[in-house]
Amino acid sequence: MKNRIIYLVVACIASVSMHSQKLKEAKGDKEYDKFAYVDAIKTYERIFAKGYKSQDMLEKLGDSYYFKADLDNAAKWYGELFAFTQDVAPEYYYRYSQALKAVKDYKKADEMLAKFNQKSGNELRAKLASSQKNYLDQIKKNSGRYNIENAGINSQYSDYGSAFFNDKVIFTSARDTGSFGKRKHTWTGESFTNLYSADMGDQGALSNAKRYGSALNSRFNESTPAFTKDGKTVYFTRNNFLDGKKGKDARKSTLLKMYKATLEGDQWTNITEVPFNSNEYSVAHPALSADEKTLYFASNMPGSLGQSDLYKVAINSDGSFGTPTNLGNVINTEGRETFPMVTSDGELYFASDGHPGLGGLDVFVSKVQADGSYKDVQNVGEPVNSPKDDFGYLINDKTRLGYFTSNREGGQGGDDIYKFKENKKLICEQMLSGIVTDKETGLPIEGAKVTLSDASFKMLKEVTTGKDGKFDFGLVECESKYYLKTEKTEYNTVETPTMTAKETGKTEVPVELEKTVKPVKPGDDLRTAFGIKIIYFDLDKSFIRPDAAIELAKILDVMEQNPTMEIDVRSHTDCRQTAKYNLALSDRRAKSTIAWLIAKGINKSRLTGKGYGESQLVNNCGCEPTNESNCTEEQHQANRRSEFIITKL
């Protein structure tokens, strides 16, 4: 019966980043006489001083100091990066802004932060655009997840507002139990409501309804109890009536208040008001958090955004209360938000007519975030919601069995309680985990510190990998961006962005760490130390291009730092063109590479080289005898490579 709800709710309320670290002396393989160690960051700084630069190199230089909290040097290298290009990932705008603050360049820091917000706002805009789609389509998508039926204890009057209590369900009813002094409410024509109990069957069916808690029931309305797990304390809603006295507001109306009672033996006693009650506004419909340290309720107290808002208040260890806090405008609207319920998973269910729904009060759900805020309020859909009032949602978050109240067509009374089984959760849940491995060996890394931050770089959690190299952050938000910063002594720090899926499931992030200082030995290819995939040459040309010079400068620096090192330059081509032509072309390129290094000061006695043409392909992309191949360009590119093999240390 809709007037009953109006009375209770309205009138009353009702990337990879480099990090230079000092290392212990590495032990060499007994098969080799000695090792050389390549410190990439120092190499980058030296070749930058010689005039060579690239975006990747500058990003790594800036990151190496940023992650060491050397923000002065980070600002320097990020400054060089942005002078070189501004086509960078959004996180570099954020890092640069933080580094600029360290050097007190606040104006430029604010500019960078504004650009970060702008560039990283694409996800937010997408969500806002999504939220403005036809809400009926979204409700339809959320529908069909429940099996519902009459709970089995409804009467011809209003029955609503259920709560779990041991193996029973306590609910509110306006049914007439046959007393001689029938007190009826003038608005509804029904008796004032009282609390009733019902036995709960295995599948949620209710039976054997009878009046409950004579001390709790008065000659006015009682409703919506919330019990502690030990069954010793109850919070409940009642009209402003205690110890035989009825309170009224300035307009002579009797509003709703919340009361607390304790169980002694089998009797409820010590009925007291909560301290944030008032004669001038209503407080009603309590719900306890899983740890019973927070009490949620509905009220139209000063500061409310609408006709009734949802609030929470801390329950202190001594039983006292904190100051009520409004749940904010993500949850509350100018309309009615009421009948809260919170699961152990942090799901807040509530009824609202302010959020888009099917009509009247609909049931909605939102997940509490790590910082206590809420977002992504969702309509739970049909068949729980209907064109009429649907509210009083209650669920066992383990069995997913529960109850809700509705005054929909086809019911027995003004409001009826329905039982349900939820077959699929609406709230998306993502598990975020991964494994940290050595990039070169592929072996898991134990003791790596992995830090999880949100899209605004606010740190959320920190874990350390075990012997298997695995880490697990547990539940995180769906369709959200996170950053995973992975640190380990002797390895470069890596910050890995990841986006969780929009459906319930698991997001697994593999993280590879690269040694900060790498041991090399005779027979090793220097290009692998820097990830050099190819020294680019123009088609049919053998002179050194500017972009190739940046890669060769890395080889040059290593040879300068290791004056006894000797290198064999090996040049390879793909299969296109004739074998004879490719052999000659690769040989010219090897000689051109050697000539460049000699011109930069490397003694020619330290260099040998040869072209191998297409004779040492790394895949099955041969062309003989037709000079034709069905391989992709990427496959051909794998064969076009230069190797820098250490022949002597």
Side-chain angles (χ1 to χ4, degrees):
M1 183 172 183
K2 200 162 188 177
N3 285 340
R4 160 123 305 282
I5 305 305
I6 292 175
Y7 168 72
L8 284 175
V9 183
V10 177
C12 301
I13 58 162
S15 152
V16 178
S17 304
M18 305 293 288
H19 175 41
S20 180
Q21 304 178 45
K22 186 177 180 180
L23 297 177
K24 297 180 179 179
E25 183 177 354
K27 294 182 179 180
D29 191 315
K30 292 182 180 179
E31 295 179 5
Y32 299 93
D33 293 332
K34 67 175 185 176
F35 290 81
Y37 292 90
V38 179
D39 189 324
I41 295 303
K42 287 185 171 56
T43 292
Y44 293 149
E45 289 181 322
R46 285 189 291 264
I47 67 174
F48 178 87
K50 296 176 182 178
Y52 303 101
K53 64 180 72 174
S54 70
Q55 178 177 341
D56 177 71
M57 186 179 77
L58 293 172
E59 287 177 350
K60 291 176 178 177
L61 277 168
D63 289 347
S64 69
Y65 289 106
Y66 182 84
F67 291 122
K68 288 194 297 184
D70 185 350
L71 296 182
D72 286 8
N73 274 314
K76 169 188 172 183
W77 291 113
Y78 286 145
E80 293 290 347
L81 170 65
F82 279 84
F84 184 80
T85 180
Q86 294 194 13
D87 185 19
V88 297
E91 52 264 36
Y92 283 98
Y93 284 87
Y94 178 86
R95 294 175 195 165
Y96 190 23
S97 74
Q98 302 308 302
L100 287 168
K101 290 178 182 178
V103 296
K104 298 184 178 181
D105 191 349
Y106 297 109
K107 181 179 180 181
K108 193 169 184 179
D110 290 341
E111 293 174 359
M112 290 295 112
L113 191 58
K115 290 181 179 179
F116 165 72
N117 291 333
Q118 179 184 6
K119 288 181 174 290
S120 63
N122 291 336
E123 297 166 22
L124 178 59
R125 287 196 296 269
K127 290 179 180 179
L128 290 174
S130 176
S131 68
Q132 295 172 13
K133 292 179 180 178
N134 190 322
Y135 70 91
L136 290 175
D137 291 340
Q138 186 61 46
I139 293 174
K140 183 178 180 180
K141 180 180 178 181
N142 295 346
S143 297
R145 300 178 300 107
Y146 294 89
N147 295 329
I148 71 168
E149 59 183 278
N150 190 298
I153 43 79
N154 291 307
S155 67
Q156 60 181 308
Y157 301 99
S158 289
D159 302 288
Y160 67 95
S162 51
F164 293 122
F165 180 62
N166 298 325
D167 59 349
K168 298 182 182 297
V169 167
I170 310 301
F171 65 99
T172 305
S173 180
R175 66 188 64 193
D176 179 9
T177 56
S179 61
F180 290 104
K182 297 179 181 178
R183 292 179 51 80
K184 295 188 176 182
H185 196 280
T186 56
W187 286 17
T188 66
E190 294 185 354
S191 299
F192 283 87
T193 60
N194 286 292
L195 299 179
Y196 285 75
S197 71
D199 297 332
M200 181 170 53
D202 291 340
Q203 298 302 312
L206 301 180
S207 62
N208 194 28
K210 56 186 176 181
R211 185 83 70 94
Y212 175 78
S214 59
L216 300 180
N217 290 317
S218 70
R219 54 197 180 95
F220 292 99
N221 290 296
E222 283 79 32
S223 69
T224 54
F227 297 90
T228 54
K229 294 175 184 176
D230 63 6
K232 301 296 185 181
T233 302
V234 62
Y235 299 89
F236 65 100
T237 306
R238 178 194 283 175
N239 282 121
N240 188 352
F241 181 81
L242 184 63
D243 298 330
K245 298 179 180 179
K246 183 169 67 172
K248 296 183 178 181
D249 66 3
R251 294 173 295 179
K252 305 301 181 182
S253 296
T254 301
L255 304 182
L256 296 179
K257 286 189 173 183
M258 190 194 306
Y259 295 87
K260 176 183 177 182
T262 55
L263 187 66
E264 294 184 4
D266 59 355
Q267 295 295 317
W268 289 104
T269 62
N270 303 318
I271 299 176
T272 58
E273 292 187 35
V274 295
F276 42 88
N277 279 338
S278 171
N279 290 341
E280 301 303 319
Y281 54 80
S282 288
V283 176
H285 310 316
L288 285 166
S289 61
D291 61 8
E292 300 181 353
K293 294 180 179 180
T294 304
L295 183 66
Y296 294 80
F297 61 94
S299 179
N300 61 345
M301 63 176 57
S304 296
L305 304 178
Q307 299 174 52
S308 68
D309 282 10
L310 296 186
Y311 288 81
K312 65 179 180 180
V313 63
I315 303 174
N316 301 319
S317 57
D318 62 358
S320 62
F321 297 90
T323 302
T325 302
N326 189 295
L327 294 192
N329 59 10
V330 173
I331 299 296
N332 294 315
T333 69
E334 294 79 9
R336 300 175 295 165
E337 280 69 47
T338 186
F339 292 98
M341 187 266 165
V342 184
T343 70
S344 60
D345 296 330
E347 296 170 336
L348 171 68
Y349 291 90
F350 63 99
S352 172
D353 62 3
H355 293 276
L358 296 175
L361 291 168
D362 272 20
V363 177
F364 295 84
V365 63
S366 181
K367 186 79 175 273
V368 64
Q369 307 303 303
D371 61 358
S373 64
Y374 294 89
K375 73 173 188 178
D376 297 335
V377 172
Q378 297 193 61
N379 188 302
V380 302
E382 296 178 307
V384 169
N385 288 325
S386 71
K388 298 296 182 70
D389 283 323
D390 309 290
F391 61 99
Y393 188 95
L394 176 72
I395 189 170
N396 181 315
D397 51 8
K398 299 297 187 294
T399 65
R400 310 311 289 181
L401 293 170
Y403 307 90
F404 71 96
T405 301
S406 179
N407 66 343
R408 65 187 58 191
E409 298 294 334
Q412 292 178 237
D415 299 308
D416 291 310
I417 298 174
Y418 295 82
K419 73 182 184 74
F420 66 76
K421 169 70 174 180
E422 184 187 46
N423 301 311
K424 177 184 176 183
K425 293 187 70 172
L426 177 59
I427 293 290
C428 178
E429 292 183 342
Q430 275 284 321
M431 302 292 292
L432 180 59
S433 60
I435 184 170
V436 181
T437 57
D438 186 293
K439 185 175 183 179
E440 185 175 352
T441 67
L443 296 175
I445 297 176
E446 180 183 5
K449 183 173 74 173
V450 188
T451 304
L452 178 68
S453 299
D454 64 15
S456 299
F457 292 95
K458 179 181 178 182
M459 192 189 85
L460 303 176
K461 195 180 293 186
E462 185 178 283
V463 298
T464 302
T465 58
K467 290 183 179 180
D468 57 3
K470 293 182 179 179
F471 59 90
D472 190 345
F473 287 111
L475 285 174
V476 296
E477 296 177 40
C478 297
E479 202 173 5
S480 297
K481 189 169 188 178
Y482 292 96
Y483 292 96
L484 283 72
K485 183 173 72 173
T486 309
E487 303 169 87
K488 171 71 175 176
T489 303
E490 300 184 2
Y491 287 89
N492 300 326
T493 295
V494 170
E495 187 169 71
T496 309
T498 188
M499 189 77 179
T500 54
K502 61 181 180 179
E503 302 290 343
T504 294
K506 295 181 179 180
T507 297
E508 296 184 354
V509 183
V511 178
E512 291 182 327
L513 293 186
E514 196 171 11
K515 288 278 190 180
T516 303
V517 177
K518 301 178 181 180
V520 291
K521 59 186 181 298
D524 284 350
D525 187 350
L526 267 184
R527 70 190 180 103
T528 61
F530 293 97
I532 301 172
K533 295 182 179 179
I534 184 171
I535 300 296
Y536 285 100
F537 292 87
D538 287 330
L539 183 64
D540 288 340
K541 304 295 181 183
S542 58
F543 61 81
I544 303 300
R545 292 176 10 172
D547 55 350
I550 293 177
E551 304 301 327
L552 287 176
K554 301 171 186 177
I555 305 299
L556 173 64
D557 182 79
V558 173
M559 298 192 74
E560 289 175 341
Q561 302 305 311
N562 297 272
T564 61
M565 179 184 287
E566 296 181 6
I567 298 294
D568 184 41
V569 180
R570 302 174 184 178
S571 181
H572 304 267
T573 68
D574 60 35
C575 70
R576 292 173 290 188
Q577 279 287 357
T578 67
K580 181 179 179 181
Y581 178 90
N582 285 332
L583 184 64
L585 176 62
S586 64
D587 197 60
R588 290 197 303 272
R589 288 177 174 176
K591 290 176 180 178
S592 179
T593 300
I594 292 171
W596 188 93
L597 291 168
I598 293 172
K600 298 300 180 182
I602 301 300
N603 192 296
K604 64 180 181 180
S605 65
R606 298 172 61 195
L607 298 164
T608 57
K610 180 181 177 181
Y612 291 83
E614 59 184 86
S615 65
Q616 296 184 6
L617 301 177
V618 296
N619 52 34
N620 295 319
C621 288
C623 303
E624 299 299 332
T626 63
N627 291 331
E628 295 181 358
S629 171
N630 293 324
C631 289
T632 65
E633 181 59 33
E634 182 179 6
Q635 290 173 309
H636 284 304
Q637 183 173 301
N639 291 314
R640 298 197 307 269
R641 67 197 188 279
S642 293
E643 299 169 333
F644 301 88
I645 307 301
I646 301 172
T647 58
K648 183 180 178 182
L649 288 172

